[in-house]
Amino acid sequence: MITVLQRATRDEHGEAAEEAAAILSAFIATAPPEAIVDCIAVAVETPGRLVNLLEAAVALLSTEVLAALQTALPQQTVVLADLADSVMARRQSDFERHLGGEPREDDEAELAALLHGRGKSLGSIGRHEEALAVTEKAVAIRRRLAAALPDAFEPDLAASLNSNGVWLRSLGQREDALAATQEAVGIRRRLAAAWPDAFEPDLSLSLNNLGVPLSDLGRREEALAATQEAVEIRRRLAAARPDAFEPDLSLSLTNLGIWLSNLGRREEALAATQEAIAIYRRLSATRPDAFEPELARSLNNLGVQLSNLGRQEGALAATQEAVEIRRRLAAARPDAFEPDLASSLNNLGIRLSNLGRREKALAAAQEAVAIYRRMAAARPDAFEPDLAASVGNLGQRLSDLGRQEEALAAMQEAVAIYRRMTAARPDTFEPNLAESLNSFGELLLDVGRSEEAEAATSEGLRFLERHFEHYPEVYRELMDKLHKNLDRARGGLAGNRGDK
C-alpha cells in the first residue's frame, strides 16, 4: 500500500497526488514502528513525496516511533539526509530538555553520542559550521570523560576527533584539521597496539582521513605514507574477512591513487585505481545498489589518471562509463546521485575537449551546470562551490568554440559566486576565487582587454598571497600562472600605449 501511495504522490498525478499525500500523512501520524521502517525502504526505492512527509511529521512522532525511524535510516544517505538531520535534531532537543540539573556520567556520555551523530547529519547536508560546533561540544564532553575513565571513553573521543578533523578541513582550517586527525590517529594507534582486532579498523579509517589534510598542506609524501599504512592494514583485514573489509580497502586504494598521482608517480597511481575498480566491479556484480556509486567514483578518477598519461581515448571510455552508471542511478534517485552525475559530466566535457570534440564537450558542460544550478538553488551551502567550478568549466568550453562573450559571462558568474562565498569563508574559498580570477584574466587577454585582465590577475594574486606564504608547494603552480598572465596583461597595456 505504501509503495502505491508513494507513486501516486508524484506531480504528474495532479489532484490525485494531493489526495495520496494526505492519506500518507495520516498514515504516518498513527503508524507503528515497523510501518515506519517500511516507509524508509519505500522512500529510498520509489520516487515521490514520502521523504518530505516523514520530515514534516518528525516533531509529532512518539519516542518509540522516532527511535525506529532513526534505526531504519541508512548510515550513508543523500536522498534522506535532511530527514536524518531532522531526526537527530529532535532526539538532541528531547534529551537536552529532559536532562535537568547536573548531568550524570551516563547522561553526559549519551549527550556526547547525540551531539556526535548530529554533527554527522549536519555535515551531510552541507551545514559544516554547525556540524563543527556540535562536534566540538562532543569532543569537549568526551575529553573530560576520557580523562577520568580512558579505557571506557577514549575510543569515543577518537571518533569525535576524527569527525572534527573532517569539518575543520571543510571550513578551510587545515592546520586544526590536521591536529584533530593526528590526535585521533594517536589514540587509535595506542588502542590498536593493545587490542588490534577491535581497533585496527578504526585506526585505518583515521589514517585514511589523515592523508587528506596532509595533502592539503603540501605534505604529500606524508599523505602518501599515511594512506599506504591504511591500505596495508585494510589489505590484511580484507584477506581475513573480505566481505567486511574489501569496501574499505577499495576506498583507501582510491585515495592512494590520488596521492601517487599528485607526486607524479602516475603508473603506480593507475595501478592502485585499477585495483580499486576491480574490487568494486566484483562487489557491484552482487550488490549493485551498495557499490555501483563507488565504482563510478573510481572510474571518474581513472579517467583523470589516464588523461594525465596521455591516454585520451581510454580516459574518455572510463569517464563515459562513470557517466553511464551515474545517469542510471540519478534516474532512479535524483536527489542522491545527480551531484555525482554532474561531476562526471564536467570531466566528460574535459575529456571530449582534449580529443577535439568541442560541441559534445560543451553539451556535457551545459548539462553539468544545469544540474548544479538546480541543486544550488535548493541547498546553496552544499552545492554553490560545485556550481562555481562547473560554470568556470563551461566558460572554458565556450571559449574553445570561439564564443568569447558567452565565455566571459560564464567566468564572471563563477567569479561572482566565489566572491560571495569568500566573503563568508575566506580561508576556504580565497584560493578558488584566485584561480577563477586567473581564468577570467586569461579570457580577457584573449579578447585584447588587457586593462581588465591586469585588474583580475592582480586581485587574484592578492587573494592567493597569504595562502602561498603558508603552503607554497600547494599553490606554486597557480601563483606562477597568475604572475605570467599579469606580465602578459602589462605587456599588452605597454603595447597599447606605444601604439598611441
Side-chain angles (χ1 to χ4, degrees):
M1 180 192 78
I2 301 172
T3 301
V4 173
L5 287 169
Q6 169 75 331
R7 289 177 180 146
T9 63
R10 296 176 193 165
D11 291 341
E12 63 260 29
H13 296 297
E15 292 183 8
E18 299 301 325
E19 294 176 13
I23 295 169
L24 267 178
S25 293
F27 173 76
I28 291 167
T30 59
E34 58 271 18
I36 290 294
V37 173
D38 292 339
C39 284
I40 292 297
V42 172
V44 169
E45 295 169 3
T46 308
R49 300 189 201 174
L50 188 51
V51 174
N52 294 334
L53 297 173
L54 285 165
E55 190 175 348
V58 163
L60 306 175
L61 297 177
S62 69
T63 303
E64 182 185 12
V65 173
L66 189 73
L69 177 57
Q70 182 183 359
T71 302
L73 288 166
Q75 285 292 314
Q76 293 183 330
T77 176
V78 176
V79 69
L80 303 177
D82 288 299
L83 173 60
D85 184 61
S86 295
V87 170
M88 288 305 304
R90 161 80 192 277
R91 287 213 56 210
Q92 179 189 342
S93 175
D94 287 353
F95 187 80
E96 289 175 339
R97 187 172 60 252
H98 292 103
L99 199 53
E102 190 67 25
R104 299 169 304 175
E105 181 183 285
D106 289 348
D107 292 332
E108 282 205 310
E110 186 172 352
L111 175 60
L114 287 169
L115 290 167
H116 178 78
R118 183 78 201 285
K120 292 170 73 173
S121 68
L122 284 164
S124 71
I125 58 174
R127 292 163 60 181
H128 294 161
E129 291 92 343
E130 295 166 87
L132 177 61
V134 296
T135 305
E136 285 182 334
K137 290 180 182 178
V139 168
I141 294 170
R142 287 175 162 176
R143 196 181 293 286
R144 188 166 60 249
L145 294 171
L149 290 168
D151 288 349
F153 293 111
E154 274 199 331
D156 295 333
L157 172 59
S160 288
L161 285 165
N162 200 66
S163 292
N164 211 40
V166 173
W167 310 138
L168 285 163
R169 188 240 175 194
S170 73
L171 294 169
Q173 300 178 43
R174 295 172 173 180
E175 296 283 0
D176 292 338
L178 177 60
T181 311
Q182 284 175 323
E183 186 178 357
V185 167
I187 294 169
R188 286 175 161 173
R189 196 182 293 285
R190 188 170 63 250
L191 293 169
W195 301 288
D197 289 347
F199 293 110
E200 274 199 327
D202 294 334
L203 173 60
S204 70
L205 171 63
S206 288
L207 285 166
N208 198 62
N209 286 3
L210 180 61
V212 179
L214 284 168
S215 180
D216 287 342
L217 292 166
R219 296 163 62 175
R220 294 175 177 176
E221 293 286 355
E222 293 171 84
L224 177 61
T227 308
Q228 285 173 324
E229 186 179 357
V231 167
E232 180 184 328
I233 295 170
R234 287 175 162 178
R235 199 181 291 285
R236 186 172 65 251
L237 293 169
R241 295 173 57 196
D243 289 347
F245 293 111
E246 274 199 332
D248 295 334
L249 172 60
S250 298
L251 178 62
S252 288
L253 285 166
T254 299
N255 283 3
L256 180 63
I258 295 169
W259 308 147
L260 286 165
S261 182
N262 288 346
L263 287 164
R265 296 163 62 176
R266 292 175 175 176
E267 293 290 350
E268 294 171 86
L270 181 62
T273 303
Q274 287 173 325
E275 184 182 357
I277 287 171
I279 296 171
Y280 281 135
R281 282 199 195 282
R282 186 170 65 251
L283 295 170
S284 296
T286 55
R287 295 176 59 195
D289 289 347
F291 295 111
E292 272 200 332
E294 294 302 324
L295 172 60
R297 186 170 78 94
S298 292
L299 285 164
N300 205 51
N301 290 346
L302 178 64
V304 175
Q305 290 164 9
L306 286 169
S307 180
N308 289 340
L309 288 165
R311 295 161 61 176
Q312 300 300 340
E313 292 289 351
L316 176 61
T319 308
Q320 285 174 323
E321 186 179 358
V323 167
E324 180 185 329
I325 294 171
R326 286 175 161 176
R327 197 180 291 286
R328 184 172 66 250
L329 293 169
R333 293 173 57 195
D335 289 348
F337 294 111
E338 276 199 326
D340 294 335
L341 171 60
S343 172
S344 286
L345 284 165
N346 260 336
N347 282 0
L348 179 62
I350 297 168
R351 303 285 86 79
L352 288 164
S353 179
N354 288 345
L355 288 165
R357 296 159 66 175
R358 293 176 175 175
E359 292 288 352
K360 289 186 177 180
L362 176 61
Q366 287 171 324
E367 186 179 358
V369 168
I371 294 171
Y372 279 135
R373 204 178 289 288
R374 188 169 61 249
M375 304 297 288
R379 289 171 58 189
D381 288 348
F383 293 111
E384 273 205 327
D386 295 316
L387 173 61
S390 189
V391 169
N393 183 50
L394 174 62
Q396 298 292 346
R397 303 288 76 79
L398 287 163
S399 178
D400 290 342
L401 287 164
R403 295 162 61 174
Q404 301 301 342
E405 290 301 324
E406 293 170 89
L408 284 167
M411 200 61 70
Q412 281 177 313
E413 183 185 358
V415 168
I417 297 170
Y418 279 129
R419 199 182 295 285
R420 185 169 63 248
M421 293 189 295
T422 294
R425 288 164 57 186
D427 287 347
T428 304
F429 292 113
E430 277 184 346
N432 300 97
L433 177 56
E435 186 168 13
S436 190
L437 285 163
N438 180 64
S439 297
F440 184 42
E442 286 182 342
L443 290 179
L444 288 165
L445 285 167
D446 289 342
V447 295
R449 291 159 63 175
S450 299
E451 187 172 352
E452 293 168 84
E454 182 188 31
T457 50
S458 295
E459 186 182 11
L461 282 166
R462 289 196 299 275
F463 279 116
L464 191 64
E465 190 172 36
R466 71 184 181 94
H467 300 275
F468 180 73
E469 287 175 2
H470 284 93
Y471 319 120
E473 293 307 313
V474 176
Y475 296 115
R476 189 174 306 281
E477 183 179 354
L478 177 56
M479 181 63 80
D480 290 344
K481 288 180 180 178
L482 281 160
H483 278 296
K484 179 181 177 182
N485 286 328
L486 181 60
D487 288 343
R488 284 179 62 201
R490 287 174 174 168
L493 285 172
N496 291 339
R497 283 192 286 269
D499 291 341
K500 292 178 183 177

